[in-house]
Amino acid sequence: MTRAGGSYGSPTHPHVRSRTMRKNRLRLAGVLAAVLVAVTGPAAQAHDKPPTLADLAERHGRYFGSATDNPELVDEPYKALLGSEFDQITPGNGMKWYATEPQQGVFDFTEGDEIVNLARANHQKVRGHTLVWHSQLPGWLTGREWTATELRAVLKKHIQTEVRHYRGKVFAWDVVNEAFNEDGTYRETIFYKTLGPGYIADALRWARQADPKVKLYLNDYNIEGIGPKSDAYHNLAKELKAQRVPLDGIGLQAHLALQYGYPTTLEDNLRRFAELGLDTALTEVDIRMILPATEEKLAQQAEWYADLTDACLAVRRCVGITVWDYTDKYSWIPAFFEGQGAALPWDEQLRPKPAYYAIREALR
Ligand code: G3I
């Protein structure tokens, strides 16, 4: 997962203005806190539970969520923060095809259900992830050839069984995940190769039949900025809308990396999807860096987290932000990118990092 470098911060760019405003807000917040302590004393302050990221996001009509995964749910301190700081959860793996239909026609929703039940207990909403993806498919599906007729039937059954199962329990589905290459051409997945590009419209229609209310999304990485890949989504979304195919939103994963530059066109990009009548969401945010994590890199990461929060808040139809798990303890990054990590707002000891405070500040 590599990304093209983005230009970052000419003095007149709105991005820079927003950072200056944030610094001013930070200064003001510091002064106000000092005044408050002087007036009320530190003891009075200790009783006021600070608002969570979810509380702060809610004031803007947005959610602030985290991904999680079943194996981590034995970690009680982890679970406590997951349950208190966020109002939205995405299962990192438990709703994927390999987990939910391990044998053809045999469905197993144990993992997804565990996360849905936990989320319900914590009054959190759940994003369904994901129905159609080229990765993490069961062996029975990838291990043989299919005719178009056969694969259409398999795909329809998978989508509709899973969507029906989670009807009323998830607010949105990543219906098709990662359908395009970096240059904006279709990814040659088993679905594309066997069914042609129409599999995307079919998947959306089948999902809509199974749940008339859930929000239906296409989701991908490296589409945060304007470029060939996000253009492909913009064009496809326009076509789908013209054909009255049910599509509600575009999920921008936002797996960013300090070494590749910040996507400075994020806000404009969110806006152009909104202009098509679509919601957007930042669905899998993390900002990795080449290790070791220095104070400087953590500060830059914090600024990027704040910047992407600002971008989402600036566009009414950007409905929320989800980090791809909240702590470096359970991040996917070190296993996939050698020598990289420290991508999340909490460190491996579940201590908040500068990024956490920067998000808070941006949400205020
Ligand atoms: O289930 C096996 C387990 O039986 C085995 O013992 C263990 C040993 O490695 O592996 C387990 O499978 C792992 C699986 O996660 C479940 O934990 C795979 O090795 C591992 O590759 C897989 O990684 C997931 C990855 O998707 C696969 O591409 C990550 O956890 C998950 O966070 C990540 O999520 C994706 C999104 O779905 C789509 N966007 C990109 C994002 C990051 O890759």
Side-chain angles (χ1 to χ4, degrees):
M1 222 170 273
T2 54
R3 46 179 312 116
S7 63
Y8 188 56
S10 82
T12 53
H13 194 281
H15 184 64
V16 175
R17 279 204 307 275
S18 78
R19 293 209 314 270
T20 312
M21 280 161 64
R22 180 169 320 107
K23 274 175 197 144
N24 288 340
R25 286 204 304 268
L26 266 170
R27 240 174 271 133
L28 184 65
V31 172
L32 286 176
V35 171
L36 205 64
V37 171
V39 173
T40 61
Q45 283 234 315
H47 295 291
D48 296 331
K49 216 168 125 242
T52 63
L53 295 185
D55 294 333
L56 295 171
E58 206 183 312
R59 295 178 193 170
H60 301 273
R62 312 303 205 279
Y63 60 80
F64 205 98
S66 172
T68 190
D69 207 357
N70 300 77
E72 304 150 25
L73 299 178
V74 294
D75 179 339
E76 291 302 331
Y78 166 83
K79 241 170 104 174
L81 256 176
L82 183 74
S84 60
E85 194 72 35
F86 306 97
D87 56 356
Q88 182 272 322
I89 298 291
T90 307
N93 288 298
M95 290 186 181
K96 290 173 179 173
W97 202 322
Y98 80 107
T100 53
E101 195 182 357
Q103 294 170 52
Q104 187 175 359
V106 180
F107 288 85
D108 181 351
F109 295 114
T110 323
E111 293 199 349
D113 287 354
E114 184 187 7
I115 290 172
V116 166
N117 291 337
L118 179 69
R120 283 190 139 190
N122 292 320
H123 312 288
Q124 296 161 318
K125 56 186 190 173
V126 177
R127 180 178 198 90
H129 175 80
T130 172
L131 298 167
V132 190
W133 190 28
H134 62 275
S135 184
Q136 291 176 292
L137 291 170
W140 63 263
L141 179 55
T142 52
R144 53 159 282 194
E145 297 288 317
W146 300 89
T147 65
T149 312
E150 287 169 341
L151 191 61
R152 265 178 75 80
V154 162
L155 187 60
K156 182 177 181 187
K157 181 167 183 180
H158 178 75
I159 290 174
Q160 296 205 319
T161 308
E162 181 154 10
V163 172
R164 259 186 228 116
H165 179 83
Y166 287 113
R167 194 172 156 153
K169 295 179 177 169
V170 304
F171 77 100
W173 269 110
D174 292 326
V175 178
V176 181
N177 196 40
E178 303 176 3
F180 285 105
N181 295 313
E182 296 305 291
D183 64 0
T185 56
Y186 280 99
R187 192 191 281 269
E188 302 252 324
T189 68
I190 179 176
F191 308 108
Y192 178 80
K193 283 194 289 190
T194 317
L195 304 172
Y199 83 91
I200 297 177
D202 285 338
L204 291 162
R205 289 194 184 103
W206 292 329
R208 174 58 75 234
Q209 282 168 10
D211 185 343
K213 291 202 183 134
V214 72
K215 298 281 183 197
L216 303 177
Y217 277 72
L218 305 176
N219 188 51
D220 213 325
Y221 60 88
N222 283 358
I223 59 164
E224 295 73 38
I226 292 176
K229 199 174 182 182
S230 61
D231 287 349
Y233 277 95
H234 194 255
N235 291 333
L236 175 63
K238 228 189 303 179
E239 276 172 36
L240 293 173
K241 283 274 174 195
Q243 294 161 15
R244 304 255 177 272
V245 175
L247 173 69
D248 299 302
I250 303 291
L252 294 77
Q253 295 183 7
H255 292 293
L256 306 184
L258 289 187
Q259 65 272 25
Y260 298 128
Y262 181 81
T264 52
T265 48
L266 172 60
E267 188 181 317
D268 292 340
N269 197 27
L270 295 172
R271 220 177 279 290
R272 71 171 172 159
F273 285 110
E275 282 160 8
L276 293 182
L278 291 167
D279 289 345
T280 49
L282 304 180
T283 53
E284 305 184 13
V285 181
D286 47 27
I287 304 174
R288 63 185 187 271
M289 60 186 70
I290 295 164
L291 298 172
T294 60
E295 213 173 290
E296 211 182 348
K297 287 184 213 169
L298 291 171
Q300 194 186 2
Q301 179 191 54
E303 205 168 292
W304 286 26
Y305 267 104
D307 287 345
L308 64 84
T309 304
D310 283 345
C312 183
L313 293 183
V315 180
R316 194 181 51 83
R317 295 208 64 167
C318 179
V319 298
I321 300 174
T322 310
V323 287
W324 204 240
D325 224 318
Y326 71 86
T327 156
D328 294 334
K329 189 173 181 182
Y330 298 120
S331 171
W332 67 293
I333 299 290
F336 281 74
F337 300 96
E338 213 190 316
Q340 298 181 46
L344 294 163
W346 278 261
D347 72 10
E348 291 187 24
Q349 280 74 45
L350 306 184
R351 287 179 308 222
K353 291 156 65 176
Y356 165 77
Y357 297 103
I359 298 168
R360 290 188 68 86
E361 194 48 42
L363 287 172
R364 273 176 197 286

